[in-house]
Amino acid sequence: MKKLKLGVIGTGRIGKVHIATLVQSVPQAEVVAIADADLNSVEKVAKAFGIKTFFANYRDVIDHPEVEAVVICSPTDTHAQYIIEIARAGKHIFCEKPVDLSLKEIQGAIEEVRKAGVKLMVGFNRRFDPDFLKIKQLVESGKVGDPHILKITSRDPAPPPAEYSAVSGGMFMDMTIHDFDMARYITGSEVTEVYTNATVLVDPEIGKAGDVDTAIITLTFANGAIGVIDNSRKAVYGYDQRIEIFGSKGMACADNNYPENHRYFAADGVHSSLPLNFFMERYLESYANEMKIFCEAVINDLPLPVSGDDGLQSVAIALAAKKSYLEHRPVLLSEIF
Amino acid sequence: MKKLKLGVIGTGRIGKVHIATLVQSVPQAEVVAIADADLNSVEKVAKAFGIKTFFANYRDVIDHPEVEAVVICSPTDTHAQYIIEIARAGKHIFCEKPVDLSLKEIQGAIEEVRKAGVKLMVGFNRRFDPDFLKIKQLVESGKVGDPHILKITSRDPAPPPAEYSAVSGGMFMDMTIHDFDMARYITGSEVTEVYTNATVLVDPEIGKAGDVDTAIITLTFANGAIGVIDNSRKAVYGYDQRIEIFGSKGMACADNNYPENHRYFAADGVHSSLPLNFFMERYLESYANEMKIFCEAVINDLPLPVSGDDGLQSVAIALAAKKSYLEHRPVLLSEIF
Amino acid sequence: MKKLKLGVIGTGRIGKVHIATLVQSVPQAEVVAIADADLNSVEKVAKAFGIKTFFANYRDVIDHPEVEAVVICSPTDTHAQYIIEIARAGKHIFCEKPVDLSLKEIQGAIEEVRKAGVKLMVGFNRRFDPDFLKIKQLVESGKVGDPHILKITSRDPAPPPAEYSAVSGGMFMDMTIHDFDMARYITGSEVTEVYTNATVLVDPEIGKAGDVDTAIITLTFANGAIGVIDNSRKAVYGYDQRIEIFGSKGMACADNNYPENHRYFAADGVHSSLPLNFFMERYLESYANEMKIFCEAVINDLPLPVSGDDGLQSVAIALAAKKSYLEHRPVLLSEIF
Amino acid sequence: MKKLKLGVIGTGRIGKVHIATLVQSVPQAEVVAIADADLNSVEKVAKAFGIKTFFANYRDVIDHPEVEAVVICSPTDTHAQYIIEIARAGKHIFCEKPVDLSLKEIQGAIEEVRKAGVKLMVGFNRRFDPDFLKIKQLVESGKVGDPHILKITSRDPAPPPAEYSAVSGGMFMDMTIHDFDMARYITGSEVTEVYTNATVLVDPEIGKAGDVDTAIITLTFANGAIGVIDNSRKAVYGYDQRIEIFGSKGMACADNNYPENHRYFAADGVHSSLPLNFFMERYLESYANEMKIFCEAVINDLPLPVSGDDGLQSVAIALAAKKSYLEHRPVLLSEIF
């Protein structure tokens, strides 16, 4: 089997997820070098996964002669720059979401990728979740008919530290962005308008940091459908990820995912297990699928399923959602671009 | 609407169920007279349901000039005699299960019914439960294909008093008899052999009374299918009534029935309600359906869906099950008749 | 049992539902007189349900000496006037929703009811649905904690005739009004702001009549919670009625309701039955519960669970929803009153 | 991480499953040599999984100096002999089920293992399935109370070739043996008596080969519980693997396993996906768990969760089941030993 030789920049939470996935579950991949400014951390990760080459400087990964493609897992504000550097080095790119908080920066990076003729895929892993893939197939097969109403429920088990909000761009940019991408993916249509009703109900510190933790976001799509996303930073029962698409011919929905399917009938009621607790468990399979598809596509020069433009659009919707929240009115996407 | 004028003999537990059903939910019925040896009890029931005529002597119901049909809810050992008397009075009969504990008595009663040309229906109400009706339809439509394996789970929330066993004929005759009828009904085939593995795990008093409280009963059917019934006198989570039929083309199953369908997700798990607690709640609709069908059939001279022979067969299977238990071996139905 | 003697005005669709329920399932009720301008129709209904007295003129019901309480099932534009007339006649009132399309008219009617010292209950039957009652109980017991997000899905199997929109006040007033009441009921809080994203996707004729058929309505509550209702006039799979309440301690949800619970496993997939088709089946039990509670409360002089003010608030939210749709902006309830 | 160096004998269906699992999902394992009489086959497998050393002669694996433990995946009639040879070579053993068709042979092999002081684990992988593990935990935690009734449903999607029956020992020995082990595992008690009702309904060729394809097997346990297993060689809807344990304090059950959890609501019903098709998909995780536990236990000299005696007992029950079928009577386990 032809293997793709990969470098990874960033060995924080998502970096570790990708490295573990690539090493353990993607036979088409070989991780040849990794980098992180925190040399201590990168060394530990390298040892844990049997990767021989590691650096403190990300450039060393890009310049490594064996590296054919680079996976960007560094902080968001470095993404656009790294994309440009990797593209200019003539190597392929997998970049975590969001690409950047600025549309202009993203557009600049995409332009460099285009010029360099390399491939760029953005990390919307949920598109490769078996449940959501099935929903997408039902829409594409015509079984749902014309989409009328899209509903996404997306709730985290616990909020990140309040200070994270400043860095991440806030809830819409770091959490809901997955739902914005999913909304476009499932309906197969662009979002044209956003209205946000958001508030702080979980933790006042989040509010003090200028962010929200609970939201209902209404979407209008170019194809006439309407949609709604509901978010919370804290569901005491764990990670809650559901999709429903209602159309002229039927409705398809995907429920939460559970570690096993037992039921226990006792004198006080019927009981079953909580959903899988967080994204590393729930989306394990999607991370592996995503990387397999990326490697296959690079190896065989095939088109990628998530483009730079997909990264751009989801950030634009997040910006519109934030603007709608701040200005307390529906916001057209055309106001953002 | 033409109404059927009915008399009811016996105002114990099942008698009250039928009277309530007839008065409140069967527009085709008019209860004109009821009887119970316990005059105090029958008077209370009469008042509660607005029935003007009540007697201590069952003969008064049979002889009542307005009564066109009689519902027998008295103790089992009176059934055969009452059937004969009602038939000779030229009136139609609805008789609770079991018809009698002796096949010979039942055959004698059926013969009198035949001679008198009246109608007789036996109270296997579960045939009219919406869930089980759906399973029967799936079998009859051919969607299940040739039946291979039938599974019935039937568990009560709590055992009757141990002394009840002697009167009732024991678990196979008072409880499993419903499952024996259901087995014949769903498969559309006669039982040819029975093997019983039964024991006392719920209450030693039941064992002392010569009865069992937990059983697995294996059945062989004339059409080649095999089946199994599992019974318990005590499920702490309530009434448990399920059916599964597996065949060459598919499998159809009916789960328990619940008072509502909520789910509650808390930090310690997912919770929902217990099944409907006992037969009066679970089979409410089936009792009404059964009596509507009986009244309609008598009024319009139509065939009845549960015959005297159905009553006979289920008692025969119960006798075979008991014999199998006592002799610790598979027993042919042909040994019983 | 003490019975309440009732008159019913209006024998259209909902009138028939209430009469059937009162006659067949509410032992506390006796329907003594009914009226409908269409004498032919009222006569048929009277015969079908064994009601001896019927009129073409609604006043004859109000003035009927035996009538203690009147159920108003006539067209919406007559409700306020009839309430006033019945109140002045010193009789109790059950009025179908919406009470009126004008807040002023409703307030006037409520004032007359107050002066007359009679009881008034508005027909939000869904509050008495077993599934939704359970959700309410979980909220009230504190198990959900502070409410954060309320979600209601409410879809009809087929739209009413397009011309109905003009008479009914449109989708928000005739269909969503139930959901507005449910939103207030489940959260135990008033709605303070509404934003409507609505469109015409089911039938262009509905749009020509100035109405919508598909909507997502975002709500803000006085207690800080937020909520969303999604509506469609046409779900090809039947009636779709679901509620979910998410709070600081957990989430409670009620799924659709089904005629039975079978599953059929075939070579091409697992199949089960569609939900109960429409409100007459789905909410059968809630109609009976509602009328029992009304009769009990009148007979025993108890407070009623749905007040005139409940009727007023739901109409105000419907007006705000319509205004939000027309002006394409969030609308405060304070703008409506 | 300390790795266990393993050899594998036999590269047929189950051999490939174990090799793939060890190579891809068990970081504690290193497969250093494999053997199969079919040199062509073993070479292919070696290449596919990057294993450098392969042989036609199984002895070469046993004698390979690096091999610390051997996984036996060869035909059943070689198991006992290979166990003895590996034990005498002082290496640890993982042996596929059934250990042998003869109790005497198994007892002899166990004795040699004991003398050699090596470890032996038998491949009852289903004990490590997440659903069934959960059921086991509920029993062990006391939540089920005293076990009363155990129910196992186990149906294959399609029968093996009829000629396979002769080699495999027939349905009870190659298929039901998993259920016999599960019955002992879940109840924590030995089987004392078996009654088999079995027949040929799937394929007459199976009957001609002296085997059955459909069975209901009733079990009696030493702790007083009773149980039932239902088997079919052909479920058109795919692999069907369910467990239910009913006790004095409650009931725990595990349903089938599905590839994803979508539901599709159309005008003709509600539809969802079939269960995972066969053991390689359904039990994927259990195979990995089983091998991780085996490697960990050998590396750290810990006790193994499935012993040689577990292998012996399940074969004894299979022999009793066959005897019961042939002699048409309940058979005591004490008759077999």
Side-chain angles (χ1 to χ4, degrees):
Chain A
M1 183 188 282
K2 170 85 179 75
K3 288 196 177 193
L4 181 67
K5 292 184 176 174
L6 292 146
V8 178
I9 300 174
T11 58
R13 190 170 67 169
I14 190 69
K16 274 182 214 137
V17 168
H18 282 309
I19 291 166
T21 301
L22 287 165
V23 169
Q24 293 164 357
S25 314
V26 184
Q28 302 95 328
E30 185 184 346
V31 180
V32 294
I34 62 177
D36 196 289
D38 179 346
L39 193 59
N40 203 30
S41 155
V42 71
E43 185 172 3
K44 269 189 204 157
V45 173
K47 276 194 182 159
F49 294 102
I51 298 162
K52 284 165 201 163
T53 312
F54 56 92
F55 307 106
N57 188 333
Y58 74 94
R59 278 293 327 177
D60 294 330
V61 162
I62 300 177
D63 296 339
H64 190 288
E66 283 191 48
V67 165
E68 298 166 291
V70 181
V71 177
I72 305 175
C73 304
S74 50
T76 300
D77 57 7
T78 64
H79 290 180
Q81 183 199 336
Y82 291 2
I83 289 173
I84 293 169
E85 294 187 37
I86 301 164
R88 287 180 182 168
K91 299 184 174 185
H92 303 289
I93 306 150
F94 181 97
C95 183
E96 259 311 307
K97 41 61 48 182
V99 179
D100 194 274
L101 303 186
S102 144
L103 295 186
K104 212 173 147 188
E105 291 293 320
I106 302 174
Q107 285 162 328
I110 291 175
E111 178 58 17
E112 290 291 329
V113 166
R114 196 194 55 75
K115 278 191 211 155
V118 297
K119 287 181 193 294
L120 166 64
M121 179 161 156
V122 177
F124 286 120
N125 62 294
R126 295 184 192 177
R127 292 190 181 201
F128 310 103
D129 175 74
D131 293 321
F132 298 163
L133 268 176
K134 185 73 194 180
I135 303 302
K136 174 68 174 172
Q137 285 164 12
L138 285 163
V139 173
E140 290 209 327
S141 71
K143 287 198 160 184
V144 168
D146 299 326
H148 288 187
I149 296 173
L150 171 78
K151 287 168 62 183
I152 296 177
T153 289
S154 175
R155 300 170 189 157
D156 279 358
E163 59 270 24
Y164 179 67
S165 296
V167 193
S168 76
M171 190 173 79
F172 306 125
M173 197 60 88
D174 79 64
M175 177 177 164
T176 326
I177 197 162
H178 274 298
D179 309 314
F180 295 139
D181 182 66
M182 192 53 66
R184 294 175 62 245
Y185 175 65
I186 294 292
T187 60
S189 182
E190 295 301 335
V191 170
T192 56
E193 196 182 67
V194 178
Y195 174 74
T196 302
N197 189 340
T199 181
V200 178
L201 297 172
V202 171
D203 182 358
E205 292 303 311
I206 292 171
K208 286 180 198 159
D211 201 2
V212 294
D213 56 32
T214 305
I216 290 172
I217 302 158
T218 305
L219 306 172
T220 307
F221 296 92
N223 66 4
I226 54 181
V228 63
I229 296 163
D230 74 273
N231 288 149
S232 170
R233 283 288 200 185
K234 185 174 180 186
V236 296
Y237 54 89
Y239 203 37
D240 194 347
Q241 301 278 302
R242 288 173 278 156
I243 287 185
E244 175 177 327
I245 176 82
F246 168 82
S248 57
K249 291 194 184 160
M251 186 258 280
C253 56
D255 197 2
N256 263 325
N257 239 310
Y258 296 84
E260 29 69 26
N261 66 24
H262 92 282
R263 286 190 299 166
Y264 169 58
F265 290 67
D268 69 340
V270 182
H271 312 284
S272 56
S273 293
L274 289 176
L276 287 170
N277 190 256
F278 207 12
F279 70 96
M280 279 168 289
E281 288 135 29
R282 161 66 192 253
Y283 288 120
L284 197 64
E285 199 171 344
S286 76
Y287 283 118
N289 290 342
E290 162 182 82
M291 281 301 173
K292 281 174 194 166
I293 287 168
F294 175 70
C295 293
E296 288 285 344
V298 171
I299 290 168
N300 301 306
D301 194 20
L302 300 169
L304 287 164
V306 195
S307 68
D309 186 60
D310 288 323
L312 182 74
Q313 294 295 335
S314 57
V315 170
I317 305 171
L319 293 170
K322 185 71 181 269
K323 191 178 180 72
S324 171
Y325 168 64
L326 293 172
E327 302 182 7
H328 198 55
R329 65 171 180 90
V331 168
L332 289 166
L333 261 286
S334 57
E335 299 179 49
I336 302 299
F337 279 102
Chain B
M1 183 188 283
K2 170 83 179 76
K3 289 194 177 193
L4 181 69
K5 292 184 177 174
L6 294 145
V8 179
I9 300 174
T11 59
R13 190 170 67 171
I14 191 66
K16 275 183 212 136
V17 168
H18 282 309
I19 291 167
T21 300
L22 288 165
V23 169
Q24 292 164 359
S25 312
V26 185
Q28 302 93 327
E30 186 183 344
V31 180
V32 294
I34 63 179
D36 196 289
D38 179 345
L39 193 60
N40 202 29
S41 155
V42 71
E43 184 171 3
K44 270 190 203 156
V45 173
K47 276 195 183 159
F49 294 101
I51 299 161
K52 283 164 200 162
T53 312
F54 57 93
F55 307 105
N57 189 335
Y58 73 93
R59 280 292 328 176
D60 294 330
V61 163
I62 299 176
D63 296 339
H64 190 287
E66 283 192 48
V67 166
E68 299 166 290
V70 180
V71 177
I72 304 174
C73 304
S74 50
T76 300
D77 58 5
T78 64
H79 289 181
Q81 182 199 338
Y82 290 4
I83 288 173
I84 293 168
E85 294 188 35
I86 300 163
R88 288 181 181 167
K91 301 186 174 184
H92 303 289
I93 306 151
F94 180 99
C95 182
E96 259 310 308
K97 39 61 51 183
V99 178
D100 194 274
L101 303 186
S102 144
L103 295 185
K104 212 174 147 188
E105 291 294 319
I106 302 174
Q107 286 162 328
I110 290 175
E111 178 58 18
E112 289 292 328
V113 166
R114 196 193 55 74
K115 279 192 211 155
V118 297
K119 287 180 193 292
L120 166 64
M121 177 162 158
V122 178
F124 287 120
N125 61 294
R126 296 185 191 176
R127 293 190 180 200
F128 311 102
D129 175 74
D131 293 321
F132 298 163
L133 269 176
K134 185 74 195 179
I135 302 303
K136 174 67 173 172
Q137 285 164 11
L138 285 164
V139 173
E140 291 209 326
S141 71
K143 288 198 160 184
V144 169
D146 298 327
H148 288 186
I149 297 173
L150 171 78
K151 287 168 63 184
I152 296 177
T153 289
S154 174
R155 300 171 187 155
D156 278 357
E163 61 269 25
Y164 179 66
S165 296
V167 193
S168 76
M171 191 174 78
F172 307 124
M173 197 60 88
D174 79 64
M175 177 177 164
T176 325
I177 198 163
H178 274 298
D179 308 314
F180 294 139
D181 182 66
M182 191 53 65
R184 296 176 62 246
Y185 176 64
I186 294 292
T187 59
S189 183
E190 294 301 336
V191 170
T192 56
E193 195 182 69
V194 178
Y195 175 73
T196 302
N197 188 340
T199 182
V200 179
L201 297 172
V202 171
D203 182 358
E205 292 303 312
I206 292 171
K208 285 180 199 160
D211 201 3
V212 294
D213 55 34
T214 306
I216 290 172
I217 302 157
T218 304
L219 307 172
T220 306
F221 296 92
N223 64 5
I226 54 181
V228 63
I229 296 164
D230 75 272
N231 288 149
S232 171
R233 283 288 199 184
K234 186 174 179 185
V236 295
Y237 54 89
Y239 203 37
D240 193 347
Q241 299 280 302
R242 290 173 277 156
I243 287 185
E244 174 178 327
I245 176 83
F246 168 82
S248 56
K249 291 193 184 160
M251 186 258 281
C253 56
D255 196 3
N256 262 325
N257 239 310
Y258 297 84
E260 29 69 28
N261 66 27
H262 93 281
R263 286 191 299 165
Y264 169 58
F265 289 67
D268 69 340
V270 181
H271 312 283
S272 57
S273 293
L274 290 176
L276 286 169
N277 189 257
F278 207 11
F279 71 95
M280 278 167 290
E281 288 134 30
R282 160 66 191 255
Y283 289 119
L284 196 63
E285 199 170 343
S286 76
Y287 284 117
N289 290 342
E290 162 182 82
M291 280 301 175
K292 281 175 193 166
I293 288 167
F294 176 70
C295 293
E296 287 285 344
V298 172
I299 291 168
N300 301 305
D301 195 19
L302 299 169
L304 287 165
V306 195
S307 68
D309 186 60
D310 289 321
L312 181 74
Q313 294 295 336
S314 56
V315 170
I317 304 171
L319 292 171
K322 185 71 179 271
K323 190 178 181 71
S324 171
Y325 168 66
L326 293 172
E327 302 182 6
H328 198 55
R329 64 170 181 92
V331 168
L332 289 166
L333 261 287
S334 57
E335 301 179 45
I336 302 300
F337 280 103
Chain C
M1 181 188 282
K2 169 86 177 77
K3 288 195 178 194
L4 181 68
K5 291 184 178 175
L6 294 145
V8 179
I9 299 175
T11 58
R13 191 170 66 171
I14 190 67
K16 274 182 214 139
V17 168
H18 283 307
I19 291 167
T21 301
L22 289 164
V23 170
Q24 293 164 358
S25 313
V26 184
Q28 302 94 327
E30 185 184 345
V31 180
V32 295
I34 62 177
D36 196 288
D38 178 346
L39 193 59
N40 203 31
S41 154
V42 71
E43 183 170 4
K44 270 190 204 157
V45 173
K47 276 193 183 160
F49 294 101
I51 299 161
K52 283 167 200 160
T53 312
F54 57 92
F55 306 106
N57 189 335
Y58 73 94
R59 280 287 334 173
D60 293 330
V61 163
I62 300 176
D63 295 340
H64 190 287
E66 283 191 48
V67 165
E68 298 167 291
V70 180
V71 177
I72 305 175
C73 304
S74 50
T76 300
D77 58 5
T78 65
H79 290 180
Q81 183 199 337
Y82 290 3
I83 289 173
I84 292 169
E85 294 187 36
I86 301 163
R88 289 182 179 166
K91 301 186 174 185
H92 303 289
I93 305 152
F94 180 98
C95 182
E96 260 310 307
K97 39 64 45 181
V99 179
D100 194 274
L101 303 187
S102 146
L103 294 185
K104 214 174 146 187
E105 292 293 320
I106 302 174
Q107 285 162 328
I110 291 175
E111 179 56 21
E112 289 291 329
V113 166
R114 196 195 55 76
K115 279 192 211 157
V118 296
K119 288 181 192 294
L120 166 65
M121 177 161 159
V122 178
F124 287 120
N125 62 295
R126 295 184 192 177
R127 292 189 181 202
F128 310 102
D129 175 74
D131 293 320
F132 299 163
L133 268 175
K134 184 74 195 176
I135 302 302
K136 175 68 174 173
Q137 285 165 10
L138 285 163
V139 173
E140 291 208 326
S141 71
K143 288 199 158 184
V144 169
D146 298 326
H148 288 186
I149 297 173
L150 171 77
K151 286 167 63 183
I152 296 177
T153 290
S154 175
R155 300 170 189 156
D156 278 358
E163 59 271 25
Y164 179 67
S165 296
V167 193
S168 75
M171 190 173 79
F172 306 124
M173 198 58 88
D174 78 65
M175 177 177 163
T176 325
I177 198 162
H178 275 296
D179 308 314
F180 294 139
D181 182 66
M182 191 53 64
R184 295 176 61 246
Y185 175 65
I186 294 292
T187 60
S189 182
E190 295 301 336
V191 170
T192 57
E193 196 181 68
V194 179
Y195 174 74
T196 303
N197 188 341
T199 182
V200 178
L201 296 173
V202 171
D203 181 359
E205 292 303 311
I206 292 171
K208 284 181 200 161
D211 201 2
V212 295
D213 55 34
T214 305
I216 290 171
I217 302 158
T218 305
L219 306 172
T220 306
F221 296 91
N223 65 4
I226 54 181
V228 63
I229 296 164
D230 75 271
N231 287 149
S232 170
R233 285 288 201 185
K234 186 175 179 185
V236 295
Y237 54 90
Y239 204 36
D240 193 347
Q241 301 280 301
R242 289 174 279 156
I243 287 185
E244 175 178 326
I245 176 83
F246 169 83
S248 57
K249 291 193 183 160
M251 185 257 281
C253 56
D255 196 3
N256 262 324
N257 239 310
Y258 297 83
E260 29 68 29
N261 66 26
H262 93 282
R263 285 191 299 165
Y264 169 57
F265 290 66
D268 68 340
V270 182
H271 311 284
S272 56
S273 292
L274 290 176
L276 286 169
N277 189 255
F278 207 11
F279 70 96
M280 279 168 287
E281 288 135 30
R282 160 66 191 253
Y283 288 119
L284 196 63
E285 199 169 343
S286 76
Y287 283 116
N289 290 343
E290 161 182 83
M291 280 300 174
K292 281 175 192 165
I293 288 168
F294 175 71
C295 293
E296 287 285 344
V298 171
I299 291 167
N300 301 306
D301 194 20
L302 301 168
L304 287 164
V306 196
S307 68
D309 186 59
D310 289 322
L312 182 73
Q313 295 295 335
S314 57
V315 170
I317 304 171
L319 292 170
K322 185 71 179 269
K323 189 178 180 72
S324 171
Y325 168 64
L326 293 172
E327 301 183 6
H328 198 56
R329 64 172 183 90
V331 168
L332 289 166
L333 260 287
S334 58
E335 299 178 49
I336 302 299
F337 279 103
Chain D
M1 181 187 284
K2 169 86 179 75
K3 288 196 176 191
L4 181 67
K5 290 182 178 176
L6 293 147
V8 178
I9 299 174
T11 57
R13 192 170 66 170
I14 190 67
K16 274 182 213 138
V17 168
H18 283 309
I19 291 167
T21 300
L22 288 164
V23 169
Q24 293 163 0
S25 312
V26 185
Q28 301 95 327
E30 185 184 346
V31 180
V32 295
I34 63 178
D36 197 289
D38 178 347
L39 192 60
N40 202 30
S41 154
V42 72
E43 183 171 4
K44 270 190 203 156
V45 173
K47 277 195 182 158
F49 293 102
I51 298 161
K52 282 165 200 161
T53 311
F54 56 93
F55 305 106
N57 189 334
Y58 74 93
R59 280 286 336 170
D60 294 330
V61 163
I62 300 177
D63 296 339
H64 190 288
E66 285 191 47
V67 165
E68 299 167 290
V70 180
V71 177
I72 304 175
C73 303
S74 48
T76 300
D77 57 5
T78 66
H79 290 181
Q81 183 199 337
Y82 290 3
I83 289 173
I84 293 169
E85 295 187 35
I86 301 164
R88 289 181 179 167
K91 301 186 174 185
H92 303 288
I93 305 151
F94 180 98
C95 182
E96 260 310 307
K97 39 64 49 182
V99 179
D100 194 273
L101 303 187
S102 145
L103 295 185
K104 212 174 147 188
E105 292 292 319
I106 302 174
Q107 285 162 327
I110 290 174
E111 178 57 18
E112 289 291 328
V113 166
R114 196 194 55 74
K115 280 192 208 156
V118 297
K119 288 181 192 293
L120 166 65
M121 177 162 159
V122 177
F124 286 121
N125 61 295
R126 295 184 192 176
R127 292 190 181 201
F128 310 102
D129 175 74
D131 293 321
F132 298 163
L133 269 175
K134 185 73 196 178
I135 302 303
K136 175 66 174 172
Q137 286 165 11
L138 286 163
V139 173
E140 291 208 326
S141 71
K143 288 199 157 184
V144 168
D146 298 326
H148 288 187
I149 296 173
L150 170 78
K151 287 167 62 184
I152 296 177
T153 290
S154 176
R155 300 171 189 156
D156 279 357
E163 59 270 25
Y164 179 68
S165 297
V167 194
S168 76
M171 191 173 80
F172 306 125
M173 197 59 87
D174 79 64
M175 177 176 163
T176 326
I177 197 162
H178 275 297
D179 309 314
F180 294 139
D181 182 65
M182 190 54 64
R184 294 175 62 245
Y185 176 65
I186 294 292
T187 59
S189 182
E190 296 301 337
V191 170
T192 55
E193 195 181 68
V194 179
Y195 175 74
T196 303
N197 188 340
T199 182
V200 179
L201 297 172
V202 171
D203 182 359
E205 292 302 312
I206 292 171
K208 285 181 200 160
D211 201 3
V212 295
D213 55 33
T214 305
I216 291 172
I217 302 157
T218 304
L219 306 171
T220 306
F221 296 92
N223 64 5
I226 53 179
V228 64
I229 296 163
D230 74 273
N231 288 149
S232 171
R233 285 286 200 186
K234 186 173 178 185
V236 295
Y237 54 89
Y239 204 37
D240 193 346
Q241 299 280 302
R242 289 174 279 156
I243 287 185
E244 175 177 326
I245 176 82
F246 168 82
S248 57
K249 291 194 183 160
M251 185 259 281
C253 57
D255 197 3
N256 263 324
N257 239 310
Y258 297 84
E260 28 69 28
N261 66 25
H262 93 282
R263 286 191 298 165
Y264 169 58
F265 290 67
D268 68 340
V270 182
H271 312 285
S272 56
S273 292
L274 290 176
L276 286 170
N277 189 256
F278 207 10
F279 71 96
M280 280 168 288
E281 289 134 28
R282 161 65 192 255
Y283 288 120
L284 196 64
E285 200 170 343
S286 76
Y287 283 117
N289 291 342
E290 161 182 81
M291 280 300 173
K292 282 175 192 165
I293 287 168
F294 175 69
C295 293
E296 287 286 344
V298 171
I299 291 168
N300 302 306
D301 194 19
L302 300 169
L304 287 165
V306 196
S307 68
D309 186 59
D310 288 323
L312 183 73
Q313 294 295 337
S314 56
V315 170
I317 305 171
L319 292 171
K322 184 73 180 269
K323 191 178 180 72
S324 171
Y325 168 65
L326 292 173
E327 302 182 4
H328 198 55
R329 65 173 182 91
V331 169
L332 289 166
L333 261 286
S334 57
E335 300 179 47
I336 302 298
F337 280 103

